[in-house]
Amino acid sequence: MTKAYKTLETRFRRMNVLSDIGSMLHWDMAAIMPDGGANARSEQLATLDVMENELINAADLGDLIEDAGNEGLDEWQQANLGEMKRAWVHGTAVPAELVEKMSLAETRCEVAWRSARADNDFKGLLPKLQEVLDLSIEAGHAKAAALGTSVYDALLDQYDPMMRSERIDSLFSDLEDFLPSYTAEVIERQKSEDAPVAPTGPFPVEIQNSVGLDLMKAVGFDFDHGRLDISHHPFCGGIPDDVRITTRYDENDFTSAIMGVLHETGHAMYERGLPSDWRGQLVGKARGMTMHESQSLLVEMQACRSEEFLTYAGPMFEKAFGGNAKAWDAANLHRLYTRVEPGLIRVDADEVTYPAHVILRYRLERALIEGDMKLADLPGAWNEMMQKLLGITPPDDRNGCLQDIHWPSGAWGYFPTYTLGAMAAAQIFAAAKEACPEIPGALAQGNFGPLMGWLGQNIHSQASSRSTDDILHAATGKVLGIDAFKSHIINRYGQ
Amino acid sequence: MTKAYKTLETRFRRMNVLSDIGSMLHWDMAAIMPDGGANARSEQLATLDVMENELINAADLGDLIEDAGNEGLDEWQQANLGEMKRAWVHGTAVPAELVEKMSLAETRCEVAWRSARADNDFKGLLPKLQEVLDLSIEAGHAKAAALGTSVYDALLDQYDPMMRSERIDSLFSDLEDFLPSYTAEVIERQKSEDAPVAPTGPFPVEIQNSVGLDLMKAVGFDFDHGRLDISHHPFCGGIPDDVRITTRYDENDFTSAIMGVLHETGHAMYERGLPSDWRGQLVGKARGMTMHESQSLLVEMQACRSEEFLTYAGPMFEKAFGGNAKAWDAANLHRLYTRVEPGLIRVDADEVTYPAHVILRYRLERALIEGDMKLADLPGAWNEMMQKLLGITPPDDRNGCLQDIHWPSGAWGYFPTYTLGAMAAAQIFAAAKEACPEIPGALAQGNFGPLMGWLGQNIHSQASSRSTDDILHAATGKVLGIDAFKSHIINRYGQ
């Protein structure tokens, strides 16, 4: 009865294995591979991409997808078929040769970026980055034709299915109506108050690591199915049954690593909560990067910077790091973590100034993709827009346009999902607390059970069975908007 | 002019990438993967095997190999074609379904072996190990038919091309004419002498690690192309451009980890010394496991347990670990490292008793493969033969038939290569010293340059361009025999 569909499941399961293998090799490359392994690794990743591309380009796949549509599938099978079709449209749009070129160029560029960033050498990176950009534009054109979208929207659709820049423009414009003046107001008020007491370091790496591991356990991370390691740019990699998260340590700043770990743990919990019955099928995968980012920000920003959680974390930090007890007082920590200050580094930004970092990247990458700006002009344009949006100018490219791995690794169209994710996080957390009023009290005990239970049921286990907006609507009563985010900011920063 | 040959090169390069990826994933599984990742990893490794098998089973491959034979290839291309043909005969003999079953069963059994060994639970492992054995026999039968050999020889041929059990029987019988009585004699004499002074621990893991890293550097290991990590069973994995060696630490015994590291470094140097012009082609790969083991044993046993090298290592160890200075005296260390004592664990055995461990495994695995013994009877047969060959009986299976990873991971026919490798190591080291008399003096300075230079030229860079015997004959003037090994043992232990 479902012969074509079952054939598709087998085919896509193999594609998924190849993509899972790529995830493991990518994690290895970022976390532990010696530099001299880069060329061989590039070839490995490129070969996996080519083989996955060959599978999606099988001559009979389109017919199988059409036939399966008439096989009386159940709801999840239908959704799975829909995802297969989406993958097929994306995958067949780009010729195999281009896929291989992209993979090679991206791996090469990502490796080069690591040293270029350390050496503050944008010019050295430029030829490799130009190659990645050109190939991304070429692929974007091909996908745009297949999807009937603009080139930028075609790239965006890879990370956030069905999201379009028109909608982003509108959401970001709502944000811009509110944030700049509100930010200035908060900064002004915080200036007039006594500064919170900063815990003084150094914070030994081993202790940071051990606190991070304890907090991961508290959130519910299962170390039988994952690891915590170190990489230049923290990320959540691996696969649902073997989630590899990474962080980086700074002995003068414990917050960066620990909040980073909590952030990636949010991603990891989403992966682990995906329905195991649908492992290896597209419908069983996470629903795009906006939803993924909502889960990391929900843990890091909504839950772990809440006053409730800090009453639990404060004593824990004090025990681990010692020093001035006043600094570890929950109210003081809360004031510290709600400190708003424009900074150069996106990943270190507070949640009030963070959207400006994303808006900057969104505008610059659109200009680069749409041909309105030359890549060689990026450092100047970056610094100018930083000045305009945040009132500060990076002293060098290391603290400017070289700080992120996304563009060197070919992830154009990815950045907006961070801020869309922040909006979704606020919306989901508000709904969770309304549905389970015990969540804040539990967090104050370091108990993430009620929160994770609700998320598991309403978000994680939904996987890709419906669109982001449909999942949000079912869980929160609304499609994605800025209201909850705005209320959250006002509640937290408006005291 | 070489169209068919070039097509073959492309095909085999892709197969090699898949096999390289498998190596990386296998290393990850053994060194760092959380247990919960096992099922997904099994599927990944099985899929790689299946895809490699599909490539070797391509309908036109036999014709391409035949056509390429008429294309006027140069010497290395011809050798490469010969290796392709060998791989094709091995690869087409076994049906894809069986390959997948084997890969799944082996990965499952290897993971189960880790806990079975810790729990001393042979019965718990039995069903999984039986499955691996049955599938190996099935594959062996298929290969035996294609190669025109016995089932055991077909399995052996996977690890040591062209080696046959008839020749092993003859070499091992030469060994048995000499070793047992000689071993008894050495033990008797050592008993009558004052015991050497043993360095006293504990030897902290971090210091062992740092000494190991220093020694790897001295041998010439390039950390830009490799790593040292920890695993249950030390091994050399990864790929020539990213060699991953592992060790395990015991705080009461620094020799085991450090000599293990030197052993694996010998393997690693071979991999690194393979000709980079032939990366990704079969002719560019190591020439079987006998040759591979000769390189690890040459570094560990021939070079690093020599009196000359110990005059360098002694002060280095003393500086690192401190304690009784007498223990670190080179002459004392040499007496310590030439101590002969029958033991239960193969990897801890001295070089005089080691062959008995291998002869035991060789006989038992032949009996299992040829159906002369039931797997359930293995623990009893193992203990009986240990008593017969070494005069001791394991108190439990952890120290008996559960100690090695080889059988659980499906490597039947592998064990003989350890002792064949020990013979080759002695033969090669003797020839190297004859050709470069400065080698021992350099080792006394911790300088491996002359030795590695000679090995690079005469062994490593030869890769698979000729047979093991041809490479040995060109390098040492003789095919593989026991004479050099016998002389080495008598020279070292006959004082």
Side-chain angles (χ1 to χ4, degrees):
Chain A
M1 298 301 287
T2 56
K3 203 176 153 219
Y5 173 77
K6 287 292 168 196
T7 306
L8 286 169
E9 274 202 342
T10 305
R11 303 270 188 99
F12 277 88
R13 188 168 183 103
R14 183 180 277 197
M15 288 181 231
N16 183 70
V17 170
L18 294 178
S19 135
D20 279 0
I21 290 172
S23 289
M24 298 315 306
L25 294 182
H26 206 275
W27 169 85
D28 180 273
M29 181 170 77
I32 61 175
M33 187 187 79
D35 287 350
N39 285 339
R41 184 59 48 87
S42 300
E43 189 181 0
Q44 292 162 12
L45 292 171
T47 300
L48 289 169
D49 282 353
V50 167
M51 295 188 89
E52 215 182 321
N53 199 260
E54 285 170 5
L55 290 170
I56 196 94
N57 277 280
D60 58 348
L61 210 67
D63 289 343
L64 284 168
I65 289 171
E66 210 184 310
D67 293 349
N70 304 316
E71 292 186 327
L73 307 178
D74 69 27
E75 206 179 335
W76 275 69
Q77 289 173 327
Q78 268 178 44
N80 197 22
L81 183 64
E83 289 305 304
M84 289 170 174
K85 189 166 182 182
R86 211 177 71 77
W88 178 69
V89 170
H90 270 280
T92 51
V94 182
E97 204 181 36
L98 179 53
V99 172
E100 182 168 17
K101 266 197 214 163
M102 285 171 74
S103 173
L104 283 170
E106 287 162 9
T107 311
R108 258 195 311 267
C109 187
E110 189 182 320
V111 171
W113 164 77
R114 279 196 225 141
S115 27
R117 182 190 185 204
D119 303 342
N120 192 40
D121 182 14
F122 180 79
K123 274 198 185 148
L125 185 66
L126 186 54
K128 289 199 173 70
L129 188 57
Q130 185 71 55
E131 196 188 356
V132 169
L133 174 61
D134 292 345
L135 293 170
S136 298
I137 292 174
E138 196 181 335
H141 271 287
K143 292 191 172 189
L147 294 163
T149 65
S150 73
V151 176
Y152 184 79
D153 283 356
L155 297 176
L156 184 62
D157 192 82
Q158 302 171 320
Y159 305 110
D160 198 3
M162 292 156 272
M163 181 53 74
R164 297 292 174 259
S165 46
E166 201 182 349
R167 180 129 183 249
I168 296 179
D169 286 338
S170 147
L171 287 164
F172 282 7
S173 145
D174 289 351
L175 266 186
E176 280 192 295
D177 286 347
F178 153 69
L179 270 185
S181 59
Y182 189 78
T183 307
E185 196 181 297
V186 173
I187 292 173
E188 203 53 40
R189 199 193 53 250
Q190 292 187 342
K191 262 189 200 156
S192 71
E193 300 165 358
D194 289 347
V197 184
T200 47
F203 308 98
V205 167
E206 318 81 71
I207 300 182
Q208 291 193 51
N209 182 252
S210 128
V211 170
L213 293 172
D214 285 347
L215 287 174
M216 286 169 75
K217 274 175 216 149
V219 177
F221 188 93
D222 176 358
F223 283 92
D224 196 42
H225 286 280
R227 291 176 53 99
L228 168 66
D229 293 273
I230 296 174
S231 75
H232 287 246
H233 188 98
F235 71 107
C236 173
I239 61 174
D241 286 321
D242 184 1
V243 191
R244 307 277 176 107
I245 75 172
T246 67
T247 190
R248 58 182 166 203
Y249 295 103
D250 176 350
E251 296 226 321
N252 298 311
D253 171 23
F254 78 101
T255 300
S256 159
I258 283 173
M259 285 296 165
V261 164
L262 288 165
H263 181 96
E264 304 307 336
T265 301
H267 282 305
M269 295 303 290
Y270 187 12
E271 289 291 311
R272 288 290 306 140
L274 293 169
S276 56
D277 287 352
W278 289 95
R279 250 345 154 252
Q281 296 299 319
L282 291 174
V283 71
K285 296 182 89 83
R287 172 75 299 174
M289 290 317 301
T290 289
M291 198 60 109
H292 229 309
E293 196 61 18
S294 80
Q295 295 311 292
S296 54
L297 290 174
L298 197 152
V299 171
E300 179 197 356
M301 289 292 177
Q302 301 286 331
C304 292
R305 301 204 186 216
S306 69
E307 287 184 88
E308 292 83 4
F309 180 72
L310 292 174
T311 60
Y312 168 77
M316 184 186 185
F317 293 164
E318 184 178 2
K319 198 177 158 198
F321 299 114
N324 186 349
K326 271 187 198 161
W328 303 113
D329 173 72
N332 179 69
L333 278 179
H334 186 256
R335 287 184 60 219
L336 201 69
Y337 287 155
T338 52
R339 203 76 184 159
V340 177
E341 193 175 5
L344 296 168
I345 304 296
R346 176 183 57 84
V347 296
D348 295 336
D350 58 77
E351 61 186 334
V352 179
T353 57
Y354 198 104
H357 290 269
V358 167
I359 291 170
L360 172 147
R361 286 157 179 76
Y362 169 62
R363 293 202 176 138
L364 292 177
E365 70 178 9
R366 268 188 76 175
L368 288 167
I369 294 291
E370 291 169 359
D372 295 335
M373 192 177 97
K374 281 187 189 159
L375 191 57
D377 296 334
L378 177 64
W382 181 289
N383 293 354
E384 211 172 283
M385 206 178 282
M386 273 300 284
Q387 187 59 46
K388 202 177 126 201
L389 289 174
L390 284 160
I392 49 177
T393 298
D396 51 34
D397 295 332
R398 191 191 349 236
N399 289 291
C401 65
L402 283 177
Q403 69 185 272
D404 295 308
I405 199 175
H406 304 62
W407 294 338
S409 67
W412 311 90
Y414 186 106
F415 280 119
T417 65
Y418 288 121
T419 288
L420 301 174
M423 297 173 186
Q427 197 166 321
I428 294 167
F429 194 56
K433 286 191 294 186
E434 208 182 308
C436 306
E438 71 271 30
I439 286 175
L443 289 176
Q445 309 293 321
N447 173 12
F448 284 73
L451 175 59
M452 286 301 153
W454 190 91
L455 288 175
Q457 201 173 345
N458 291 278
I459 306 291
H460 303 170
S461 64
Q462 301 303 308
S464 287
S465 63
R466 285 172 290 167
S467 72
T468 301
D469 269 336
D470 284 350
I471 295 170
L472 280 178
H473 196 276
T476 73
K478 284 178 197 167
V479 299
L480 185 63
I482 81 151
D483 293 352
F485 183 70
K486 197 172 161 181
S487 303
H488 160 71
I489 294 291
I490 291 172
N491 277 338
R492 182 172 283 181
Y493 295 87
Q495 297 157 339
Chain B
M1 299 301 288
T2 55
K3 206 178 150 217
Y5 174 76
K6 287 292 168 197
T7 305
L8 286 168
E9 274 203 343
T10 306
R11 302 270 188 99
F12 276 89
R13 187 168 184 101
R14 184 179 276 198
M15 287 181 232
N16 183 70
V17 170
L18 294 179
S19 134
D20 279 1
I21 290 171
S23 290
M24 300 313 306
L25 294 183
H26 206 274
W27 169 85
D28 180 273
M29 181 169 78
I32 60 177
M33 186 187 79
D35 287 349
N39 285 339
R41 183 58 49 85
S42 300
E43 188 181 2
Q44 292 162 10
L45 293 170
T47 301
L48 289 168
D49 282 353
V50 168
M51 295 187 90
E52 215 182 321
N53 199 259
E54 285 170 4
L55 290 170
I56 198 90
N57 277 281
D60 57 348
L61 211 67
D63 290 342
L64 283 168
I65 289 172
E66 208 183 311
D67 292 350
N70 304 317
E71 292 185 328
L73 305 178
D74 69 26
E75 205 180 336
W76 275 68
Q77 289 173 326
Q78 269 179 42
N80 197 23
L81 183 63
E83 290 304 306
M84 289 168 174
K85 189 165 181 185
R86 210 176 73 77
W88 179 70
V89 171
H90 270 280
T92 50
V94 183
E97 204 182 36
L98 179 53
V99 172
E100 184 169 16
K101 266 197 215 161
M102 284 170 74
S103 173
L104 284 170
E106 287 162 9
T107 311
R108 258 196 311 265
C109 186
E110 190 181 320
V111 170
W113 164 76
R114 280 196 224 141
S115 27
R117 184 189 183 203
D119 302 343
N120 191 41
D121 183 13
F122 180 78
K123 275 198 183 144
L125 185 66
L126 186 56
K128 290 199 172 71
L129 189 58
Q130 185 72 56
E131 195 188 357
V132 169
L133 174 61
D134 291 345
L135 293 169
S136 298
I137 292 174
E138 195 181 337
H141 270 288
K143 291 192 173 189
L147 293 163
T149 65
S150 73
V151 177
Y152 184 79
D153 282 357
L155 298 176
L156 184 62
D157 192 83
Q158 301 170 323
Y159 304 110
D160 198 3
M162 291 156 274
M163 180 54 72
R164 298 292 174 258
S165 45
E166 201 182 348
R167 180 129 182 251
I168 296 179
D169 285 338
S170 145
L171 288 164
F172 282 7
S173 144
D174 289 351
L175 267 187
E176 281 191 295
D177 286 345
F178 153 69
L179 270 185
S181 58
Y182 190 77
T183 306
E185 198 180 299
V186 172
I187 293 175
E188 203 52 41
R189 200 193 51 250
Q190 292 186 344
K191 263 190 199 155
S192 72
E193 299 165 358
D194 286 347
V197 184
T200 47
F203 308 98
V205 167
E206 317 81 70
I207 300 183
Q208 291 193 49
N209 182 252
S210 131
V211 170
L213 293 172
D214 286 346
L215 287 174
M216 286 169 74
K217 275 176 213 145
V219 177
F221 188 93
D222 177 358
F223 284 91
D224 196 41
H225 286 280
R227 291 175 54 96
L228 169 66
D229 293 273
I230 296 174
S231 75
H232 287 246
H233 188 96
F235 71 107
C236 172
I239 60 173
D241 286 323
D242 186 0
V243 191
R244 308 276 176 106
I245 75 173
T246 67
T247 190
R248 59 182 165 202
Y249 296 102
D250 175 351
E251 296 226 321
N252 298 312
D253 169 24
F254 78 100
T255 300
S256 158
I258 282 172
M259 286 294 165
V261 164
L262 288 164
H263 181 95
E264 303 306 336
T265 302
H267 283 305
M269 295 303 290
Y270 187 14
E271 288 290 312
R272 288 290 306 137
L274 294 169
S276 57
D277 287 352
W278 289 95
R279 252 336 158 256
Q281 295 299 319
L282 291 175
V283 72
K285 294 181 93 81
R287 172 75 298 177
M289 289 319 299
T290 288
M291 198 60 109
H292 229 309
E293 195 61 19
S294 80
Q295 296 309 293
S296 54
L297 290 174
L298 198 153
V299 170
E300 180 198 355
M301 289 292 176
Q302 300 287 330
C304 292
R305 301 204 186 215
S306 69
E307 286 184 89
E308 292 83 3
F309 180 71
L310 292 175
T311 62
Y312 169 77
M316 183 187 186
F317 293 165
E318 185 178 2
K319 200 175 158 198
F321 299 113
N324 187 350
K326 272 187 199 161
W328 304 114
D329 172 72
N332 180 69
L333 277 180
H334 186 255
R335 289 183 59 218
L336 202 68
Y337 287 156
T338 51
R339 203 75 184 158
V340 177
E341 193 175 6
L344 296 168
I345 303 296
R346 177 183 57 83
V347 296
D348 294 336
D350 57 79
E351 60 185 335
V352 180
T353 55
Y354 198 105
H357 289 271
V358 168
I359 290 171
L360 173 147
R361 286 157 178 78
Y362 169 62
R363 294 203 175 136
L364 292 178
E365 71 179 9
R366 269 188 76 178
L368 288 168
I369 294 292
E370 292 170 358
D372 296 334
M373 192 176 97
K374 280 187 193 161
L375 191 57
D377 297 334
L378 177 64
W382 181 289
N383 293 356
E384 211 173 284
M385 206 179 284
M386 274 299 285
Q387 186 59 46
K388 199 177 129 200
L389 289 173
L390 285 160
I392 47 177
T393 299
D396 51 32
D397 295 332
R398 189 190 354 235
N399 289 290
C401 65
L402 282 177
Q403 69 185 273
D404 295 307
I405 199 174
H406 303 63
W407 294 338
S409 67
W412 311 90
Y414 187 105
F415 280 119
T417 66
Y418 288 121
T419 288
L420 301 174
M423 297 174 187
Q427 195 166 323
I428 293 167
F429 193 56
K433 286 191 293 186
E434 208 183 307
C436 307
E438 71 271 30
I439 286 175
L443 289 176
Q445 309 292 322
N447 173 13
F448 284 74
L451 174 60
M452 286 300 155
W454 190 90
L455 288 176
Q457 203 174 343
N458 291 278
I459 306 290
H460 303 171
S461 64
Q462 301 304 309
S464 288
S465 63
R466 285 173 290 167
S467 72
T468 302
D469 270 335
D470 284 350
I471 295 171
L472 280 178
H473 195 274
T476 73
K478 285 178 195 166
V479 299
L480 184 63
I482 81 151
D483 293 352
F485 182 70
K486 196 171 162 181
S487 304
H488 160 71
I489 294 290
I490 291 172
N491 278 336
R492 183 172 281 180
Y493 294 86
Q495 297 157 343

